[in-house]
Amino acid sequence: MVFARGDVSGHDDPVIDHQDPSKYITVVSWDGPRDPGNPYNWSLCEKWLLTALAVFATFMTMINGTIFTVAHETMNERFHISDASFPHSYWPVTSWAVGGGCFSLLVLPLMEDFGVRLWHKNFYTLVITRFFAGGCVSILANTSGTVIGNVWDTERNRNVPVSLFIVAYLSGSSIGPVIGAAIYQALTWRWIGYIQLMWYGAFFPLYFFLFKECRGIAILGQRAKALRREGKNAYTQHEIDTQGQSILSIVGHSASRPLFLFFTESVVFVSTLWSAFTVGTLYLFTQSVEQVFAELYDWTPSQAGYVQAAVVIGELLGWVITLFSGKLYFDSASRNKEIPGTPIPEARLYLAIVGGIFGISGGMFTYAWTSYPNFPWIAPAIGLAMVGAGSVIVVTGISDYVVDAYSKYAGSCMGIIATGENTLAAFLPLATMSMYSHLGLEWASTVLAFIALVLSFAPILVLIWGKDIRARSPFMKEAMVEKRRKSIDSV
C-alpha cells in the first residue's frame, strides 16, 4: 500500500539548455500556492469524492482474492484435483497474491515518479489468469491509495482517509469468503465469477468518468505538453530529470530501490515482516477456519465462510481505535525536543504494538484455546474478531510510520511491504492444512500467536532507539531535514 505525496512546488523559471546555451527552457510548476489546478487546493467535495471512490474501488477489488475459497469442493470435482494431502484448491489464490506481489514491486515505486489514471477450461488456465487478475487488483488498489497522498496535503488531513483505505484493503480480503458463501449456497460456484463481472461492469463508468488525474507531476506534465503544442519550450522538472532515460532503466531502478531499502534499512525490514505476517494470517483464516469449525462443529464450507464475518467486524472496530492512534501521534508534538512542534514519527507505533500484542497475538491465543467442541462457536469467533481488530491497527500504524519516516521514498518502502504481504498471503495458507493436522487445532494457532508476539515486541526497539536509527539512515535523515525545514518555514 502506498500513499505517495503529489505536491510539486515552485515557479515557472527559465533555465538554460546546456546543449544550446541560446535556447531557454521554461520549467513548468504551480502558479503560486493557491493554484486551483494543484490537487491540494481542490474543494473538500472533490477530495472526498475521489477518496470515497478510491476506498470503494479498493474494497471491491480486494474481494476478488478470497471469494472463491468457499467453493473449493465443487471446483475440485470440476477440475479433478484433490485437497486430501495438500490444499491444491488454494493455488488460484496463491497465484493471485503472487501476481499482486510482483506487480507491487514493479509498479508501486514508479508511482513516486508518474501519475495514475470467459470461464476457464482447465485448472492451470485458472491459476495463470488469476496471476494477472491479482496483478491488476494490486495496481488498482494501490493506485487508489496514492489518491490520498495526492489530494490531502498534511499528515493531520490524511489521517482518516489513510485509515479508511487500510480498513477497506484488509476487510475486502476478509469479507470475500462471506460473500462467496452466500453466492455459492444460493447459486453455483460459477456465479461467484459471473456476479463479480456484473458489479465490476456496473461500477466501471463511475470510475471512468469520476476518477480523474490527481498526481501533481502528471498534471504539470499535461500543462507542459499543452505549452509545447503552442511552440513554447516548456518542460516540468521531472521531465528534465528523466530526459534520456529509457523506460527499462526507469523500471529497473524503481524495482531495485525497494529491495535495496529492504536489505539495508532495519525499519523497512521489520515493518515488512510484521505487516506481511499480519496480512498472511488473515488469508490463513480462509483455510484454517473451515478446518477448525468443520472438526469442532461439523460445519459446511459455506457456514465456515459466514463465520469469517467476525474478522470483518473486528477490522471495523480496529478502524475506530486507529482514530485514537492519530490523536496520540499529533499530541506527541508537544514532547518533541528534536524538532519542536512536529510529531514524533515513532508515536505512530504506540497503538500498533498494543494491537499486535493484544489483538493479533491475543486473538490467536483465544482462537487456539477455545478450539474445543465443548466451547460454543462464538468463543473462537471472538478470537477471529480480535485478530481482525489487531490487523487494522498494526497495518495502519506501520503504513503511517513508514510514510512519515521515509517521506518521498514512501512508494518504494510500501512497494516492498506490499510485496511481502502478498508473498505471505500466497504461501502461508498452503501450510495451514499440514500445520493444523500435525500440531492440532490448539497448538497450530498457538505457534502463530507466539510468532505474532515476537514481531509485536520487535518495534519496541524502534521506540527506544528511534532517534538514533533515524540518524543512521540516509533516507530517514533526508525526511527529517525536510520536516525541520518546513517547521522553520511555518514559524
Side-chain angles (χ1 to χ4, degrees), residues 69-70 72-73 285-295 301 304:
T69 54
V70 296
H72 64 93
E73 291 181 348
F285 284 149
T286 66
Q287 304 298 295
S288 75
V289 168
E290 181 179 335
Q291 192 169 349
V292 169
F293 282 79
E295 185 171 328

Side-chain angles (χ1 to χ4, degrees), residues 88-141:
H88 291 288
S89 62
Y90 191 77
W91 283 115
V93 182
T94 294
S95 64
W96 183 91
V98 169
C102 292
F103 281 55
S104 296
L105 186 63
L106 293 173
V107 176
L108 297 193
L110 287 174
M111 292 178 185
E112 293 172 346
D113 304 316
F114 297 98
V116 300
R117 186 76 169 118
L118 205 56
W119 267 101
H120 323 288
K121 299 299 182 183
N122 58 64
F123 189 66
Y124 306 105
T125 306
L126 174 63
V127 172
I128 292 170
T129 53
R130 289 281 291 172
F131 172 86
F132 292 102
C136 292
V137 166
S138 175
I139 293 174
L140 178 58

